[in-house]
Amino acid sequence: MSTLSELSLAVEGGKRNDAKLITQTLLEQGLKPLEIVEQGLVPGMSSIGEKFKNNEVFVPEMLIAARAMKECMGILEPLLAAAGIKPKYTAVIGTVQGDLHDIGKNLVAMMLKGANFGIVDLGTNVTPDKFVAAAQEHQAQLICLSALLTTTMPAMKLTVQAVRDAGLTSAKIMVGGAPVTQDYADEIGADGYSQDAASAVDLALRLAETC
Ligand code: B1M
């Protein structure tokens, strides 16, 4: 017999084997895959996200928690797909053109996935056109831009401009990365800025709800 709170704790602690075993047991006990995601996995990731925001844990702990969550999702995703269940919101994410840093971007993507967003990860060095095309193709509610270099911040501005020029009014743009600030986000006309991966989830949910 396993419980959803045991699953949350296993994910939060990055215990991927325990988390997979509990996920399997919960399925055998008759719990629905979506219930397991929303009441087991998501609270586990939210809890570690809060601790990260408060500097109680650091990047390695976040990464191992996200890996545990990802492996459980590997069991649940085919069942969710078979039942026709899709995430409520879709986010396109990438590091902007010229920039190869992806550790922070990956953390943000994992946290959004942990909050049950569908994620289209375009990787690094993503041109403005690619962001626009992916947002159109996947009818994304969110376009998430990451930049780690002062020299690639202008690519963020160009991407925001390209999204506006394409008339993608239904998609909100959020930006982040070490050199990026709220002032810069305002200056380039982004819809939101967040400083870290956990706050990115709160912002993403707020923005997606207004779409
Ligand atoms: Co580079 N690098 N790097 N680097 N690198 C920095 C960023 C730098 C600050 C180092 C330094 O000089 N002290 C400096 C930038 C200076 C500047 O422009 N201000 C720098 C430089 C100069 C360079 C090169 C130009 C070096 C060279 O070749 N001469 C080169 C550029 C390559 C390129 O991109 N074209 C380069 C290369 C690399 C590596 C490839 C070696 C490697 C990247 C590996 C990888 O990402 N796969 C690397 C690394 C690792 C770093 C440091 C050491 C670490 C960055 C990191 O991953 N941090 C970095 C110095 C440092 O920070 N100490 C440095 C951890 C990560 C979790 O944090 O990405 O900030 P971060 O993400 C946070 C938040 O910012 C936020 O949430 C995350 C989690 O809280 N966030 C978002 C990020 N994206 C977000 C998006 C959101 C919301 C929040 O919404 C959409």
Side-chain angles (χ1 to χ4, degrees):
M1 188 76 182
S2 289
T3 63
L4 288 162
S5 47
E6 282 169 358
L7 179 58
S8 302
L9 283 175
V11 168
E12 186 181 338
K15 298 191 172 106
R16 59 182 165 147
N17 290 331
D18 289 356
K20 279 195 293 184
L21 204 66
I22 297 170
T23 299
Q24 207 63 61
T25 310
L26 291 172
L27 285 171
E28 282 157 20
Q29 285 170 206
L31 273 82
K32 293 197 171 63
L34 190 60
E35 213 175 337
I36 299 175
V37 175
E38 289 181 343
Q39 294 172 41
L41 300 180
V42 172
M45 281 308 285
S46 306
S47 176
I48 190 101
E50 275 306 307
K51 289 184 177 163
F52 179 70
K53 204 155 62 175
N54 298 329
N55 291 323
E56 292 167 43
V57 299
F58 301 98
V59 171
E61 287 93 334
M62 285 276 284
L63 289 175
I64 57 167
R67 186 179 57 183
M69 160 119 191
K70 193 176 170 193
E71 294 199 5
C72 295
M73 284 305 289
I75 300 171
L76 297 171
E77 258 166 5
L79 304 171
L80 292 166
I85 295 168
K86 289 185 185 155
K88 194 168 173 192
Y89 302 119
T90 300
V92 165
I93 187 165
T95 308
V96 296
Q97 187 166 21
D99 201 322
L100 302 176
H101 295 85
D102 67 357
I103 298 169
K105 182 267 295 171
N106 291 345
L107 268 181
V108 173
M110 286 169 185
M111 288 300 292
L112 290 179
K113 211 166 188 188
N116 206 17
F117 273 78
I119 297 295
V120 180
D121 189 342
L122 302 176
T124 58
N125 190 23
V126 182
T127 60
D129 287 357
K130 268 198 193 157
F131 276 109
V132 169
Q136 283 168 332
E137 182 188 343
H138 298 279
Q139 298 180 347
Q141 285 79 27
L142 272 186
I143 302 173
C144 304
L145 313 179
S146 181
L148 260 288
L149 298 171
T150 43
T151 50
T152 56
M153 286 167 67
M156 210 167 232
K157 182 177 180 180
L158 292 176
T159 306
V160 171
Q161 195 54 55
V163 171
R164 304 301 183 216
D165 289 348
L168 271 169
T169 47
S170 58
K172 300 278 190 252
I173 305 171
M174 56 185 270
V175 296
V180 182
T181 60
Q182 180 67 58
D183 282 351
Y184 186 69
D186 295 341
E187 184 190 317
I188 65 174
D191 299 298
Y193 157 79
S194 81
Q195 198 181 350
D196 58 54
S199 325
V201 173
D202 302 334
L203 173 66
L205 286 167
R206 272 204 313 279
L207 289 176
E209 274 158 19
T210 64
C211 286

